[in-house]
Amino acid sequence: MLSTAGLPSWLDPVIHAAQTVQPLQLSRFLPPESGAGRQSAVLILFGEGEKGPEILLMERAGSLRSHAGQPSFPGGALDPEDGDPQGEGPLRAALREAEEETGLDPRGVQLFAELPRLFIPVSDFVVTPVLGWWRTPTPVGVVDPNETARVFTVPVADLTDPENRAMAIHPSGHHGPAFLVESALVWGFTAGVIDRILHFAGWERPWDRSRQVPLDWRA
């Protein structure tokens, strides 16, 4: 299900990063050695928009039990029909969840890489980030308002703009990179992965890491 054939040349640095990056270079939170955790996958979908390369994101509904109201990649837990979690299961899950959450037509997506599995302690998810190229864009939007509040794309140029970058400070003391884009504050797992992709693809521009954005206590 993975192929790099025919991808636009601007994705070459992302392909190289995906092939060479090590798990601890992405996050200090790695899957438990015991094998515990809920297997899941997210789709990091690159497309071509009016402002050049862009990434598809969604905003989770505020009523959800975990990560309510947060911008995120489309994705979720693997279902039995997705298949082997150690095989192509995460690839199928990423496409299935993206279709269920955004209405995306998976036939227009070319999957080209996986990043190392990461861990989200607060929700006990073991997450496989799956990278895709939106070869044939199709309309997307909210499918189920109980799960998704908004679906939107963010130009990579906006993500790399130093004016749109800050460190998000959680009331618990946790801090990490954040992006202020498309009237949204992207933080947490999603922002961390985007930050690392920009860095290892060589797209990152110097930004002020002393700039802080406090998160609401409900975050």
Side-chain angles (χ1 to χ4, degrees):
M1 293 180 66
L2 294 178
S3 171
T4 59
L7 296 178
S9 58
W10 58 261
L11 273 174
D12 288 347
V14 178
I15 297 170
H16 177 73
Q19 293 172 340
T20 57
V21 70
Q22 298 300 306
L24 283 173
Q25 292 178 308
L26 292 175
S27 173
R28 62 188 178 93
F29 296 111
L30 302 184
E33 294 183 2
S34 64
R38 302 172 62 192
Q39 296 294 325
S40 63
V42 296
L43 178 64
I44 305 175
L45 185 59
F46 291 88
E48 188 87 48
E50 294 181 358
K51 295 181 65 175
E54 61 185 16
I55 294 177
L56 179 68
L57 294 177
M58 50 175 271
E59 186 176 308
R60 295 169 61 83
S63 58
L64 293 176
R65 285 184 298 175
S66 62
H67 308 293
Q70 280 188 242
S72 68
F73 303 116
L78 269 66
D79 285 348
E81 59 265 29
D82 294 323
D84 184 2
Q86 304 303 318
E88 294 186 342
L91 306 181
R92 295 191 181 94
L95 288 176
R96 175 183 56 76
E97 286 283 344
E99 182 178 14
E100 292 176 359
E101 293 176 329
T102 73
L104 173 77
D105 186 344
R107 294 173 296 181
V109 176
Q110 178 180 337
L111 302 181
F112 63 87
E114 286 181 333
L115 294 178
R117 286 175 169 81
L118 304 174
F119 187 54
I120 305 180
V122 67
S123 55
D124 198 38
F125 277 122
V126 175
V127 185
T128 300
V130 178
L131 306 182
W133 160 239
W134 209 351
R135 177 175 293 282
T136 307
T138 50
V140 292
V142 174
V143 175
D144 183 354
N146 293 318
E147 290 193 5
T148 308
R150 182 166 64 117
V151 177
F152 58 102
T153 57
V154 180
V156 171
D158 290 351
L159 293 168
T160 59
D161 186 343
E163 293 298 316
N164 297 332
R165 305 212 55 181
M167 294 294 289
I169 309 299
H170 193 277
S172 66
H174 173 77
H175 63 279
F179 300 85
L180 295 90
V181 289
E182 300 298 323
S183 302
L185 174 63
V186 183
W187 63 281
F189 174 85
T190 301
V193 173
I194 293 174
D195 173 79
R196 294 296 80 196
I197 290 175
L198 298 180
H199 175 77
F200 287 107
W203 292 348
E204 183 180 35
R205 297 166 58 189
W207 57 283
D208 183 4
R209 294 177 181 271
S210 68
R211 181 187 182 194
Q212 297 184 352
V213 177
L215 294 171
D216 185 270
W217 67 270
R218 294 180 298 249

